[in-house]
Amino acid sequence: MEAKLHHYVPQFYLRRFTDKSGRLWVWERDADRVFAAAPSKVAAENNFYRVDALTELGHDPLAMEKQLSSLEGEVAKITAQWLQWLRAAEPCEQIPIPSVNRELVGSYIALQFLRSADTR
């Protein structure tokens, strides 16, 4: 089944800001209202990354969504490991980070800056 709701802020990231009930506080700018919501329900739009023009060229219209999902999965694992290292670290202890992890997370951060309706 195709993912229809595409997140422009990954759920793994949003989950790190939830309370004990698994919800986070959201400010809806246009309506100027605040509400609690599950990460699966916010920072997303239906078919946000679907590119129908790819179908006409014989390609998967959800290729971008799938590539983003793959990168998010890798970054989620890496940053979860980093959080474990930080929790276990002594004050002022330097934590060595593999260069491949730096590259993936750097790409993710740059991509997050561009993941918006305005950029699209």
Side-chain angles (χ1 to χ4, degrees), residues 17-34:
F17 294 93
T18 58
D19 60 19
K20 291 179 183 180
S21 70
R23 298 166 70 87
L24 57 100
W25 287 99
V26 179
W27 172 54
E28 186 177 7
R29 180 181 56 195
D30 294 340
D32 193 24
R33 70 182 185 110
V34 176

Side-chain angles (χ1 to χ4, degrees), residues 60-106:
D60 183 356
L62 295 173
M64 185 183 306
E65 168 67 11
K66 291 174 182 176
Q67 289 173 349
L68 290 169
S69 179
S70 176
L71 176 61
E72 290 166 10
E74 290 300 313
V75 171
K77 291 177 199 171
I78 292 167
T79 55
Q81 179 68 60
W82 289 0
L83 290 170
Q84 287 178 357
W85 291 345
L86 285 170
R87 288 182 189 109
E90 296 295 323
C92 301
E93 178 182 353
Q94 185 174 9
I95 299 171
I97 297 177
S99 61
V100 66
N101 290 5
R102 288 177 189 259
E103 290 174 21
L104 281 170
V105 173

